[in-house]
C-alpha cells in the first residue's frame, strides 16, 4: 500500500545566450481569461508549419526516421517565426559547440516578455513562504499558469523523445481545439528537444567527454547540464518530463520503483503517481503489459527509482519541488511507434497538469512551507516505500539536524566551491563572523563531539530555509536508503566527496554570520615586490589553479613540507588574482619564493587494448586533465609502448584509465620498455582495474588482488582511509580522509612501496551508503606509490576521476602528476624483484563489472533453484554462491553497462518479481 505521506496532497557565454530569446516570438497582451477555442480536435492554424512541411515527413504515425540536430533547430525556428504562442532561446552550447535550443509555448498573452517574467517571478515567490503570504500564494495558484518542462535525449542514442517533443510543440503552437487551449491557458511549457546534441550525432549515450549527463545533475560538471540548470532556476518547474529509451519494445512511466529518497516531498510523489494514471488512460496501443501483451505496452513500479541526486527526475523533484519523471520507451520498436508513444505520454502529462494547475501550484507552495517548518524543527522526512510488495528495511534515524557547518581549517578552496554549488541551487549560506559554540555535534565520519567551537570564517548552512530538502539530499552524511535496490551509487555526500571538514547539529544555534553573496579568494593584502604570494595546494580547486597558472607561464615553487605554493609578487597580475578568486583560493603575502619548482607535466593518455575512449575514466581524464586543467594530452597506444615510439617515450607521465584488459596488450618487450621509462624518472598513474593490473603484469607493484567475499557489496560508498602524509602523493591531505569505493578491486598492501591510502583495521573503520561485507577492506590499500629507479607508479584501487566530482581524488591525481623529482631508489631498478614477480605471476581476478559493476541479485538461499532457472532464460554466464541464509547470483557485466542500458537486467528483475521471488537486494 502506498504510504499516506506519498499521497499528501561553460560556458558563461552560453548561459548569457540562454537568458535572451534566440528568435523573436510575436506575443501580445497578458490576462487571465480563457482563449477562444474550437470543439474540432483537428482544427489548427494553417500559418504554423506542420512537421511534414518543414521536415518532409510526419512525426509519430507514419514516421520512418528520426530527426537530425539540424532539423531540430530548423523546425524550432520555423514554428517560432510563425506562431505568436512560441519564443525560443539557447540554454547552453555542447562540448563541440552545438547550441541546445529550447522553446517556451503558452497562450499569446503569457509569452509576452513582461508577462513571462512575471509568471516566472510569481512561481519563484511560491518557493519562499517567508516573503509570500498564503493569500498571495492562493492568488498565484488561481491566476498564474504552472510551468511544465518536457525534455528529451539526455542520452544521445535515445532519440524518440526529441521527435515527440517537436510534435508536442506543433500541437501547442498550432492547435485551435479547446483541448489545446486548456493546456496553453493553464501552463507555460518549456520544451528542450535535445540535451545532448553531440551524443545524438554520434548515436552515443554519453556526451563528447564520455559523461553520462543523467548522472551529472548535482555536480553540474558538464556545460550542457550547467546551462540547463540555470534555465531551470529561471523557470522553476512544477512538472518535469525527461524522455528516454531503454531496451525492448515496452514503455515505462511512473509510479517508480523503490527506493525514493526520503527528502522528496509527498506532494510531488502524489502528483507523479496521479500523472501515471493519466498516462495509462492516454497511452493507447496495447495498454498495460500482462500475460497477453508483451510489446507496445506499458509497465510501472519497476527499474527506475528516485534515489540518486544526479538524475533528471530526482533533482527537479528534490531541488525544485516538481513532479520529476523519467519516461522510457523500448528502442526496439519502430520509429513511428516510439515517437507516437512518447507523444501520448507527453500530451497526457500536459493534460493532467492543466486540469490540476491550481491544486499543483497550491501544493507547490505547501512543499516549501513544510520544508521551512521541518528545517526549523530539525526534522528529517521518514523513509517510505512506494512499491506495494516492499517494506522499509532501513529507517531514517531519529536525529535532529538544524545546521551544517563547513569548517575552514583545511581544503578551504574546495569548501568555497561547495558553497558556490549550494548557492547556485538557491541555498542560503552564511559566513561566520564570530566564534560560536556548538554544544553537541556530529562529525562527518560517524563521530560525535561536544562543545565544539566553530571558528570565524566557517560557513553556516541553516536548515530553516526553503531548500531544506535539497540541503539534506546532497549534504547528508548518509542518504539512508529505505530498500536495497540500486542501479547507481549509494552515497554522494558532497562534504565526503570533497573531503572537507564538516559538522552538523540539532542544537538551535544562531551564530553571528553574514549571507554569502559571492566567492571569496584572491589577494587580501600586498606583498613586498621581492616577496611572494602563497596558497596551500591542499584541494582540487587549488590544484586546478596551479595547472592553470603553469599553463599561463607563471613560475611556481612548492614547499614540500607544508604543500604551500609561492608565486613571485611581480607575477601577480590582475588576471592571476581574478583566477585565484574564481577558484576560492586566498593568496597570502609571503617572503622570497622558495621551494621545489613546479612544471607542467607532459601527459600521455593510454588508449590501448581494453580502454573505451567514449566513456568512463578515459573521458573523465580528457575532461579533468584536458579541459579543466588545460594539459595537452597525447594519445598513447599499445603499439607505442611495445615499439617504444616517441609518442610514449617523450612523455613525463603516462595515465592508464580503467578498462577491461589485465595487460593493456603489452608484450614482454613493451613491459620492459615501460619499466625502463619509469626508471628514468617518469610517472605511471594507473586507475582502478586496468590501471593497476597493467602495472602488476609489468612487474611494477607487489600488490595483489584480494578475493571478494560472496556477500560483498560496496555500492558507490564512502569509507574512511588512513593517509601516509609523508608521501608526495598525499601532500596537503589530512591524516584521515574519505574515499569513494564502487565495488573496486581490493588491493593487498604493497611490500615494495608506500601504501599512501589504507583502510583502517580497527575501530576507526567507517563506511556510509550501502555496504555488505565491507570488513574485507580493512587493512587493504586504496592508493600505492611504487618506486622504480628514479620514477614511480602511482596506483589507485578506485577511480579518482569518477564523474569529475570526487574532489579529494582529483587532488591526489594532481599530486601524482606534480610528483617531485628525486634520486634513484637503488632498491628498485628497472628489473623485477621477487615480490613484484610473484604478484605478476598471480592469477588474474576476473573483471566481472567492466568499468562499473556486475549485476548482483540476492535472494533467500531456499529460492536459489527457481531464481537460477529464471536467470538461465537470460544468460548462462551467471555465478552463484551462498552465505548464511542468502544466495547471490552475479551476472558478469564486462561492458560496464548500468541497469538502464543493460540488454536484459531490467527484464530479469521484472521476471523474478512476476514469479513472486522475494528479492533481498538488487545491485546493478
Amino acid at each position: 500500500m502506498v504510504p499516506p505521506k506519498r499521497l499528501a496532497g561553460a560556458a558563461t557565454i552560453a548561459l548569457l545566450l540562454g537568458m535572451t530569446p534566440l528568435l523573436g516570438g510575436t506575443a501580445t497582451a497578458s490576462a487571465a481569461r480563457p482563449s477562444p477555442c474550437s470543439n474540432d480536435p483537428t482544427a489548427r492554424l494553417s500559418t504554423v508549419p506542420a512537421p511534414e512541411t518543414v521536415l518532409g515527413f510526419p512525426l509519430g504515425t507514419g514516421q520512418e526516421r528520426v530527426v537530425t540536430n539540424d532539423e531540430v533547430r530548423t523546425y524550432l525556428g520555423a514554428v517560432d517565426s510563425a506562431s505568436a504562442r512560441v519564443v525560443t532561446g539557447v540554454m547552453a552550447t555542447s562540448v563541440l559547440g552545438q547550441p541546445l535550443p529550447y522553446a517556451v509555448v503558452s497562450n499569446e498573452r503569457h509569452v509576452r516578455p513582461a508577462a513571462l517574467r512575471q509568471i516566472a517571478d510569481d512561481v519563484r515567490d511560491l518557493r519562499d513562504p517567508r516573503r509570500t503570504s498564503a493569500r498571495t500564494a492562493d492568488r498565484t495558484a488561481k491566476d498564474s499558469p504552472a510551468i511544465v518542462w518536457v525534455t528529451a535525449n539526455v542520452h544521445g542514442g535515445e532519440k524518440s523523445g526529441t521527435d515527440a517533443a517537436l510534435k508536442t510543440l506543433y500541437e501547442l503552437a498550432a492547435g485551435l481545439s479547446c483541448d489545446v487551449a486548456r493546456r496553453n491557458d493553464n501552463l507555460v511549457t518549456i520544451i528542450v528537444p535535445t540535451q545532448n546534441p553531440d551524443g545524438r550525432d554520434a548515436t552515443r549515450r554519453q556526451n563528447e567527454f564520455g559523461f553520462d549527463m543523467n548522472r551529472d545533475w548535482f555536480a553540474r560538471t558538464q556545460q550542457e547540464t550547467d546551462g540547463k540548470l540555470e534555465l531551470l532556476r529561471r523557470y522553476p518547474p512544477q512538472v518535469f518530463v525527461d524522455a528516454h529509451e531503454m531496451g525492448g519494445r515496452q514503455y515505462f512511466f511512473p509510479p517508480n520503483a523503490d527506493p525514493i529518497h526520503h527528502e522528496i516531498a509527498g506532494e510531488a510523489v502524489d502528483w507523479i503517481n496521479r500523472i501515471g494514471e493519466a498516462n495509462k488512460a492516454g497511452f493507447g496501443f496495447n495498454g498495460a503489459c500482462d500475460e497477453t501483451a508483451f510489446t507496445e505496452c506499458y509497465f510501472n513500479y519497476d527499474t527506475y527509482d528516485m534515489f540518486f541526486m544526479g538524475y533528471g527526475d530526482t533533482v527537479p523533484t528534490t531541488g525544485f519541488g516538481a513532479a520529476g519523471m523519467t519516461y522510457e520507451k523500448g528502442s526496439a520498436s519502430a520509429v513511428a511507434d516510439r515517437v507516437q508513444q512518447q507523444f501520448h505520454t507527453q500530451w497526457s502529462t500536459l493534460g493532467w497538469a492543466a486540469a490540476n494547475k491550481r491544486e499543483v501550484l497550491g501544493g507547490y507552495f505547501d512543499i516549501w512551507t513544510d520544508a521551512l517548518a521541518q528545517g526549523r524543527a530539525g526534522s528529517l522526512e521518514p523513509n517510505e516505500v512506494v512499491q506495494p510488495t516492499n517494506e522499509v528495511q532501513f529507517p531514517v534515524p531519529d536525529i535532529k539536524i538544524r545546521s551544517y557547518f563547513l569548517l575552514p581549517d583545511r581544503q578551504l578552496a574546495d569548501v568555497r566551491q561547495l558553497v558556490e554549488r549550494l548557492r547556485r541551487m538557491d541555498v542560503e549560506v552564511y559566513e561566520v563572523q564570530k566564534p560560536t559554540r556548538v554544544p553537541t555535534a556530529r562529525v562527518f565520519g560517524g563521530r560525535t563531539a561536544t562543545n565544539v567551537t566553530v571558528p570565524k570564517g566557517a560557513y553556516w548552512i541553516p536548515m530553516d530555509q526553503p531548500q531544506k530538502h535539497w540541503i539534506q539530499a546532497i549534504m547528508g552524511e548518509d542518504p539512508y536508503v529505505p530498500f536495497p535496490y540500486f542501479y547507481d551509487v549509494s552515497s554522494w555526500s558532497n562534504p565526503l566527496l570533497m573531503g572537507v571538514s564538516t559538522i552538523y547539529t540539532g542544537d538551535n544555534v544562531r551564530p553571528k554570520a553574514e549571507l554569502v553573496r559571492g566567492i571569496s579568494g584572491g589577494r587580501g593584502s600586498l606583498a613586498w615586490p621581492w616577496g611572494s604570494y602563497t596558497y596551500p595546494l591542499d584541494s582540487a580547486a587549488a590544484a586546478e589553479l596551479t595547472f592553470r597558472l603553469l599553463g599561463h607561464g607563471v613560475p611556481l615553487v612548492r614547499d614540500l613540507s607544508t604543500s604551500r605554493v609561492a608565486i613571485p609578487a611581480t607575477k601577480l597580475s590582475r588576471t592571476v588574482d581574478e583566477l585565484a578568486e574564481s577558484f576560492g583560493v586566498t593568496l597570502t603575502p609571503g617572503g622570497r619564493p622558495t621551494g621545489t619548482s613546479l612544471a607542467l607535466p607532459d601527459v600521455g593518455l593510454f588508449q590501448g587494448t581494453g580502454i573505451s575512449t567514449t566513456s568512463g575514466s578515459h573521458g573523465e581524464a580528457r575532461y579533468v586533465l584536458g579541459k579543466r586543467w588545460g594539459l595537452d594530452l597525447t594519445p598513447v597506444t599499445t603499439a607505442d609502448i611495445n615499439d617504444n615510439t616517441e609518442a610514449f617515450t617523450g612523455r613525463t607521465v603516462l595515465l592508464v584509465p580503467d578498462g577491461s584488459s589485465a595487460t593493456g596488450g603489452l608484450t614482454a618487450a613493451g613491459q620492459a620498455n615501460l619499466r625502463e621509462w619509469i626508471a628514468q624518472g617518469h610517472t605511471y598513474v594507473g586507475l582502478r582495474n586496468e590501471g593497476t593490473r597493467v602495472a602488476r603484469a609489468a612487474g611494477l607493484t607487489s600488490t595483489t588482488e584480494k578475493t571478494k567475499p560472496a556477500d560483498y557489496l560496496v555500492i558507490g560508498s564512502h569509507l574512511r582511509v588512513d593517509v601516509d602524509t609523508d608521501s608526495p602523493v598525499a601532500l596537503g591531505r589530512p591524516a584521515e580522509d574519505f574515499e569513494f569505493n564502487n565495488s573496486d578491486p581490493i588491493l593487498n598492501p604493497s611490500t615494495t612501496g608506500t601504501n599512501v591510502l589504507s583502510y583502517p583495521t580497527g575501530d576507526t573503520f567507517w563506511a556510509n551508503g550501502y555496504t555488505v561485507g565491507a570488513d574485507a577492506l580493512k587493512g587493504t590499500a586504496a592508493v600505492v606509490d611504487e618506486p622504480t629507479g628514479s620514477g614511480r607508479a602511482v596506483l589507485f584501487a578506485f577511480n579518482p576521476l569518477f564523474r569529475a566530482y570526487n574532489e579529494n581524488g582529483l587532488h591526489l591525481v594532481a599530486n601524482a602528476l606534480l610528483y617531485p623529482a628525486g634520486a634513484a631508489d637503488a632498491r628498485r631498478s628497472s628489473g623485477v624483484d621477487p615480490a613484484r614477480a610473484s604478484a605478476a605471476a598471480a592469477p588474474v581476478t576476473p573483471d566481472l563489472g567492466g568499468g562499473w559493476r556486475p549485476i548482483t541479485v540476492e535472494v533467500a538461499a531456499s529460492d536459489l533453484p527457481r531464481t537460477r532457472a529464471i536467470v538461465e532464460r537470460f544468460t548462462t554466464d551467471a555465478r552463484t554462491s551462498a552465505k548464511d541464509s542468502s544466495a547471490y547470483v552475479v551476472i558478469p557485466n564486462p561492458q560496464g553497462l548500468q541497469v538502464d542500458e543493460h540488454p536484459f537486467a531490467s527484464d530479469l528483475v521484472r521476471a523474478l518479481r512476476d514469479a513472486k521471488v522475494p528479492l533481498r537486494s538488487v545491485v546493478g
Side-chain angles (χ1 to χ4, degrees):
M1 179 177 178
V2 179
K5 172 200 160 190
R6 298 304 189 193
L7 295 176
T12 303
I13 292 175
L15 297 182
L16 291 174
L17 284 172
M19 297 301 104
T20 58
L22 178 67
L23 297 167
T26 55
T28 54
S30 173
R33 61 180 185 274
S35 304
C37 60
S38 168
N39 290 322
D40 179 3
T42 66
R44 296 183 179 89
L45 291 167
S46 60
T47 53
V48 178
E52 46 266 50
T53 303
V54 177
L55 304 174
F57 55 87
L59 296 175
T61 303
Q63 184 176 353
E64 295 185 357
R65 70 166 178 86
V66 293
V67 175
T68 67
N69 281 319
D70 284 342
E71 289 169 336
V72 169
R73 295 189 284 267
T74 298
Y75 190 64
L76 282 178
V79 173
D80 182 29
S81 297
S83 175
R85 304 174 187 172
V86 176
V87 292
T88 60
V90 174
M91 69 181 190
T93 55
S94 72
V95 174
L96 295 181
Q98 296 195 72
L100 274 69
Y102 66 90
V104 181
V105 57
S106 189
N107 69 33
E108 298 178 16
R109 302 180 299 277
H110 293 156
V111 297
R112 288 187 64 192
L116 198 54
R117 283 194 299 271
Q118 187 62 55
I119 290 166
D121 287 346
D122 288 344
V123 170
R124 278 195 298 272
D125 284 345
L126 293 178
R127 299 180 71 197
D128 194 346
R130 297 169 302 182
R131 68 174 185 236
T132 304
S133 68
R135 177 177 295 180
T136 299
D138 186 62
R139 184 167 60 248
T140 298
K142 175 178 176 291
D143 295 340
S144 178
I147 300 175
V148 176
W149 279 57
V150 176
T151 69
N153 202 205
V154 72
H155 293 147
E158 302 172 8
K159 301 183 178 183
S160 60
T162 297
D163 302 42
L166 295 180
K167 184 176 176 69
T168 296
L169 173 64
Y170 169 66
E171 295 297 339
L172 293 173
L176 294 171
S177 70
C178 294
D179 206 25
V180 171
R182 277 190 294 271
R183 286 165 170 80
N184 284 335
D185 288 345
N186 289 286
L187 306 174
V188 169
T189 303
I190 314 293
I191 293 177
V192 181
T194 176
Q195 303 169 72
N196 184 4
D198 296 347
R200 187 178 184 88
D201 279 346
T203 313
R204 180 185 63 231
R205 179 183 177 94
Q206 299 84 3
N207 76 343
E208 185 61 23
F209 281 124
F211 277 65
D212 183 337
M213 291 192 295
N214 201 39
R215 306 295 185 271
D216 187 47
W217 278 74
F218 81 75
R220 317 171 55 154
T221 68
Q222 301 304 290
Q223 60 200 58
E224 298 95 333
T225 312
D226 192 60
K228 174 174 57 186
L229 275 156
E230 285 305 293
L231 192 65
L232 273 160
R233 293 176 70 196
R234 183 182 175 193
Y235 297 114
Q238 287 72 68
V239 175
F240 188 98
V241 173
D242 195 18
H244 291 251
E245 290 184 1
M246 59 182 180
R249 294 178 60 191
Q250 298 181 352
Y251 197 107
F252 168 84
F253 51 79
N256 293 93
D258 288 316
I260 290 181
H261 194 279
H262 65 94
E263 285 296 328
I264 288 177
E267 290 89 345
V269 177
D270 178 33
W271 302 337
I272 289 167
N273 294 345
R274 289 162 60 191
I275 290 170
E277 294 302 313
N279 285 338
K280 291 176 184 179
F283 185 79
F285 287 83
N286 291 330
C289 301
D290 57 23
E291 61 276 1
T292 63
F294 304 101
T295 62
E296 314 313 332
C297 55
Y298 67 80
F299 66 92
N300 324 110
Y301 288 124
D302 215 330
T303 305
Y304 302 100
D305 62 49
M306 289 188 71
F307 188 63
F308 170 55
M309 289 297 142
Y311 296 149
D313 51 11
T314 52
V315 174
T317 304
T318 316
F320 292 91
M325 296 168 292
T326 294
Y327 293 172
E328 297 268 357
K329 170 57 194 162
S331 58
S333 295
V335 171
D337 291 340
R338 282 153 46 201
V339 175
Q340 193 65 32
Q341 288 172 30
Q342 296 271 32
F343 170 72
H344 283 181
T345 55
Q346 291 176 18
W347 197 248
S348 297
T349 298
L350 293 173
W352 183 91
N356 295 277
K357 180 269 298 188
R358 185 167 183 176
E359 177 198 340
V360 167
L361 286 173
Y364 193 70
F365 180 71
D366 291 342
I367 288 173
W368 309 106
T369 303
D370 291 345
L372 270 172
Q374 291 169 16
R376 194 169 296 119
S379 61
L380 304 182
E381 293 270 34
N383 259 340
E384 293 171 349
V385 293
V386 295
Q387 288 179 264
T389 57
N390 290 342
E391 296 180 355
V392 172
Q393 294 192 22
F394 308 106
V396 174
D398 183 18
I399 59 174
K400 299 289 186 184
I401 302 178
R402 287 189 170 92
S403 296
Y404 283 92
F405 289 95
L406 300 172
L407 305 182
D409 55 323
R410 56 181 175 83
Q411 283 78 49
L412 180 57
D414 280 349
V415 167
R416 290 169 172 165
Q417 292 299 319
L418 177 51
V419 167
E420 290 306 293
R421 182 180 288 173
L422 291 164
R423 290 180 64 244
R424 295 185 72 218
M425 281 293 287
D426 304 307
V427 174
E428 296 162 4
V429 183
Y430 298 81
E431 185 172 353
V432 175
Q433 301 299 304
K434 183 179 179 181
T436 301
R437 187 178 69 88
V438 177
T440 57
R442 293 176 181 265
V443 182
F444 270 56
R447 292 170 174 159
T448 59
T450 57
N451 293 321
V452 176
T453 298
V454 174
K456 178 181 178 180
Y459 291 94
W460 172 45
I461 306 154
M463 293 287 271
D464 60 338
Q465 58 176 296
Q467 279 289 53
K468 174 261 181 179
H469 295 310
W470 181 249
I471 295 168
Q472 183 59 28
I474 70 162
M475 289 289 293
E477 186 180 22
D478 195 290
Y480 306 124
V481 63
F483 185 83
Y485 170 87
F486 300 95
Y487 74 87
D488 206 82
V489 300
S490 70
S491 175
W492 53 90
S493 170
N494 279 216
L496 293 174
L497 284 168
M498 291 188 167
V500 297
S501 185
T502 308
I503 65 171
Y504 56 103
T505 182
D507 296 337
N508 196 0
V509 293
R510 310 296 296 184
K512 181 180 180 182
E514 292 183 359
L515 182 67
V516 177
R517 300 186 183 277
I519 193 166
S520 298
R523 182 183 62 187
S525 56
L526 289 174
W528 292 104
W530 47 263
S532 64
Y533 292 94
T534 71
Y535 63 88
L537 206 176
D538 66 347
S539 61
E544 187 168 348
L545 172 65
T546 301
F547 287 121
R548 296 281 290 275
L549 292 177
L550 291 171
H552 282 89
V554 178
L556 303 176
V557 293
R558 187 182 192 184
D559 185 326
L560 298 183
S561 62
T562 64
S563 194
R564 292 193 72 86
V565 172
I567 307 169
T570 56
K571 299 297 182 180
L572 186 70
S573 64
R574 171 181 251 181
T575 298
V576 170
D577 188 30
E578 290 176 348
L579 193 62
E581 181 181 13
S582 72
F583 287 113
V585 175
T586 296
L587 303 179
T588 304
R592 296 187 186 278
T594 59
T596 302
S597 294
L598 295 177
L600 274 179
D602 186 342
V603 180
L605 181 58
F606 186 64
Q607 57 182 49
T609 303
I611 302 295
S612 168
T613 59
T614 60
S615 64
S617 58
H618 185 280
E620 291 157 354
R622 288 190 292 116
Y623 171 70
V624 173
L625 277 67
K627 181 177 175 62
R628 281 178 41 180
W629 294 355
L631 303 179
D632 292 329
L633 304 179
T634 301
V636 176
T637 67
T638 299
D640 288 327
I641 301 175
N642 286 339
D643 298 338
N644 234 22
T645 70
E646 197 278 336
F648 163 55
T649 60
R651 313 283 73 79
T652 61
V653 174
L654 177 67
L655 189 146
V656 179
D658 191 16
S660 59
S661 173
T663 65
L666 300 187
T667 62
Q671 292 172 340
N673 292 338
L674 181 59
R675 291 193 299 272
E676 181 59 34
W677 173 83
I678 293 173
Q680 292 168 10
H682 300 134
T683 299
Y684 172 104
V685 178
L687 310 186
R688 205 169 181 259
N689 289 307
E690 181 155 349
T692 57
R693 291 170 178 176
V694 168
R696 185 176 300 110
L700 296 170
T701 179
S702 56
T703 64
T704 55
E705 286 191 33
K706 181 177 179 180
T707 301
K708 296 174 181 176
D711 63 341
Y712 182 79
L713 294 172
V714 177
I715 311 305
S717 304
H718 281 97
L719 295 99
R720 179 179 286 113
V721 287
D722 291 330
V723 181
D724 186 336
T725 55
D726 292 332
S727 167
V729 178
L731 271 176
R733 299 311 304 178
E736 289 185 335
D737 211 345
F738 301 98
E739 279 307 338
F740 182 81
N741 189 311
N742 190 30
S743 196
D744 302 321
I746 304 176
L747 299 186
N748 290 309
S750 170
T751 59
T752 56
T754 301
N755 297 297
V756 182
L757 265 60
S758 301
Y759 296 103
T761 57
D763 293 342
T764 59
F765 184 85
W766 177 86
N768 79 342
Y770 183 71
T771 63
V772 179
D775 281 358
L777 289 166
K778 289 183 175 181
T780 65
V783 178
V784 174
D785 177 3
E786 294 272 16
T788 293
S790 297
R792 79 283 314 154
V794 180
L795 308 180
F796 292 81
F798 59 98
N799 176 10
L801 304 178
F802 185 71
R803 294 176 179 167
Y805 63 45
N806 185 16
E807 282 84 357
N808 48 10
L810 300 186
H811 179 208
L812 293 169
V813 172
N815 279 343
L817 300 188
L818 295 170
Y819 203 110
D825 188 329
R827 300 169 300 160
R828 306 287 171 238
S829 67
S830 58
V832 182
D833 71 15
R836 292 178 175 179
S838 175
V844 176
T845 302
D847 181 8
L848 300 181
W852 185 241
R853 303 186 296 243
I855 311 297
T856 303
V857 178
E858 178 189 2
V859 298
S862 57
D863 286 323
L864 180 58
R866 59 188 183 127
T867 300
R868 186 186 288 116
I870 294 169
V871 170
E872 287 174 353
R873 289 164 25 196
F874 296 89
T875 178
T876 58
D877 295 332
R879 306 177 180 208
T880 60
S881 59
K883 185 172 182 180
D884 300 327
S885 64
S886 288
Y888 300 87
V889 180
V890 178
I891 299 166
N893 184 20
Q895 293 179 285
L897 301 177
Q898 296 196 347
V899 169
D900 59 335
E901 59 178 330
H902 194 277
F904 64 79
S906 298
D907 292 337
L908 169 60
V909 172
R910 198 152 60 250
L912 290 168
R913 286 193 170 124
D914 290 345
K916 303 295 191 293
V917 176
L919 302 178
R920 294 187 170 180
S921 67
V922 178
V923 173

